[in-house]
């Protein structure tokens, strides 16, 4: 009976993830979350950005580590290997990235709205449960095709993570060097798109979908696209409006040579 209840709960959570993407994309077409270059007042009290990032991303670590031992595959070396890239990404996002912001003197100039952090915290609770529970318990295809999917997906994932981290590092460095004033990022993947940090994250979770070969992986990838591609488009418009003719006309918003 408990197993049936758990299966139903997992299924409803997965459906929530799958169906939350389209309304998120539609909403972000008209309204951008007020942090970073889209920061504005009217969204209530704020937190220091490093603290906000740490708190709202933290469920991806503690909830995953809490749930994993309860899965029937928790001692399977393949399941432990599979969850490792997910934990690696979120160790960086929860620990390393906030520390990098903390070292940047510009990080505290604009607060991060608690309301937005709370929404992100809620999403990360949902998604961490889905991904951890699937990999540790519900995934049934750890057979011969596992290694092909894992290797191909890992190459895609690591490539995306490298693009994401190096681009974020460039943005934080530029804000620090220019005392919080936005300038045109140049070099690397910024020569192709306005938001290579978002492009890298989209690539990462596409790699995760290949690795897991699952609806939870596909659902997370599609939600990432729904969340980050509209924000990248808005940032691309922001750059063009702010810098006008100075801004490179050949850059796309988030997908090189395409969009």
């Amino acid at each position: 009976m408990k197993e049936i209840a758990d299966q139903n709960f997992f299924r409803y959570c997965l459906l929530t993830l799958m169906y939350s993407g389209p309304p998120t994309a539609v909403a972000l077409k008209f309204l951008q979350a007020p942090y970073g270059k889209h920061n504005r007042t009217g969204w209530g009290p704020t937190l220091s950005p490093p603290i906000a990032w740490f708190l709202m991303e933290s469920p991806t670590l503690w909830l995953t580590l809490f749930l994993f031992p309860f899965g029937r595959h928790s001692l399977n070396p393949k399941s432990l290997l599979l969850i490792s890239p997910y934990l690696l990404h979120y160790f960086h996002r929860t620990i390393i990235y906030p520390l990098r912001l903390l070292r940047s003197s510009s990080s505290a100039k604009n607060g991060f709205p608690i309301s937005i952090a709370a929404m992100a915290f809620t999403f990360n609770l949902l998604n961490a449960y889905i991904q951890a529970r699937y990999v540790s318990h519900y995934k049934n295809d750890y057979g011969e095709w596992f290694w092909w999917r894992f290797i191909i997906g890992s190459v895609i994932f690591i490539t995306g993570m490298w693009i994401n981290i190096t681009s974020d590092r460039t943005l934080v460095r530029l804000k620090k060097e220019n005392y919080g004033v936005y300038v045109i990022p140049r070099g690397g993947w910024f020569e192709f798109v306005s938001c290579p940090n978002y492009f890298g994250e989209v690539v990462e979770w596409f790699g995760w979908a290949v690795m897991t070969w699952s609806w939870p992986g596909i659902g997370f990838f599609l939600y990432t696209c729904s969340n980050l591609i509209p924000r990248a488009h808005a940032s691309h418009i922001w750059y063009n409006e702010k810098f006008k003719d100075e801004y490179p006309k050949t850059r796309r918003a988030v997908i090189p040579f395409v969009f």
Side-chain angles (χ1 to χ4, degrees):
M1 197 70 181
K2 286 180 64 177
E3 182 68 19
I4 294 174
D6 186 76
Q7 289 176 2
N8 287 336
F9 182 71
F10 178 82
R11 188 178 299 113
Y12 290 137
C13 287
L14 178 56
L15 287 172
T16 300
L17 175 65
M18 298 293 290
Y19 286 114
S20 60
T24 298
V26 172
L28 291 178
K29 185 175 177 61
F30 302 101
L31 184 67
Q32 287 303 313
Y35 65 90
K37 61 179 63 66
H38 301 288
N39 190 279
R40 58 192 181 279
T41 59
W43 285 75
T46 62
L47 283 171
S48 166
I51 295 175
W53 278 101
F54 170 75
L55 292 176
M56 69 187 186
E57 301 289 339
S58 65
T60 57
L61 295 181
W62 57 258
L63 185 58
T64 300
L65 294 174
F66 173 77
L67 288 173
F68 209 86
F70 294 97
R72 57 193 168 119
H73 301 304
S74 61
L75 298 179
N76 184 337
K78 290 180 179 178
S79 69
L80 293 168
L81 184 64
L82 183 56
I83 201 65
S84 297
Y86 178 86
L87 289 172
L88 178 65
H89 170 90
Y90 279 111
F91 178 79
H92 173 265
R93 186 57 69 192
T94 306
I95 307 296
I96 305 300
Y97 181 67
L99 287 175
R100 187 173 293 132
L101 290 178
L102 194 62
R103 290 197 299 266
S104 171
S105 59
S106 65
S107 65
K109 288 188 176 180
N110 294 315
F112 197 108
I114 293 177
S115 56
I116 300 299
M119 285 188 276
F121 181 88
T122 302
F123 171 79
N124 283 322
L125 277 177
L126 171 71
N127 191 51
Y129 165 76
I130 293 169
Q131 307 304 324
R133 192 64 176 151
Y134 176 75
V135 172
S136 69
H137 192 75
Y138 287 114
K139 184 173 175 62
N140 292 316
D141 55 345
Y142 282 111
E144 58 180 313
W145 285 100
F146 170 82
W147 290 111
W148 286 105
R149 294 165 181 167
F150 181 78
I151 291 169
I152 294 170
S154 293
V155 171
I156 298 170
F157 186 93
I158 291 169
T159 301
M161 190 170 182
W162 176 77
I163 295 170
N164 175 257
I165 290 175
T166 55
S167 302
D168 271 342
R169 186 182 298 136
T170 296
L171 292 172
V172 172
R173 175 179 57 80
L174 288 175
K175 287 196 73 175
K176 183 176 182 179
E177 291 175 352
N178 293 278
Y179 303 99
V181 176
Y182 284 99
V183 297
I184 300 174
R186 299 187 186 278
W189 285 83
F190 284 102
E191 297 302 315
F192 302 102
V193 292
S194 294
C195 300
N197 50 331
Y198 296 154
F199 170 64
E201 193 152 349
V202 167
V203 171
E204 275 187 81
W205 298 122
F206 175 68
W208 174 252
V210 173
M211 274 190 278
T212 60
W213 206 254
S214 65
W215 285 114
I218 292 171
F220 187 20
F221 166 67
L222 292 177
Y223 184 85
T224 300
C225 293
S226 300
N227 184 30
L228 295 186
I229 290 178
R231 187 168 179 85
H233 184 239
S235 296
H236 183 68
I237 293 172
W238 183 92
Y239 275 122
N240 276 280
E241 290 177 346
K242 181 174 179 62
F243 297 107
K244 298 182 171 59
D245 292 338
E246 295 180 58
Y247 199 68
K249 302 303 179 186
T250 56
R251 285 190 197 180
R252 297 295 185 258
V254 64
I255 303 175
F257 313 111
V258 178
F259 176 74

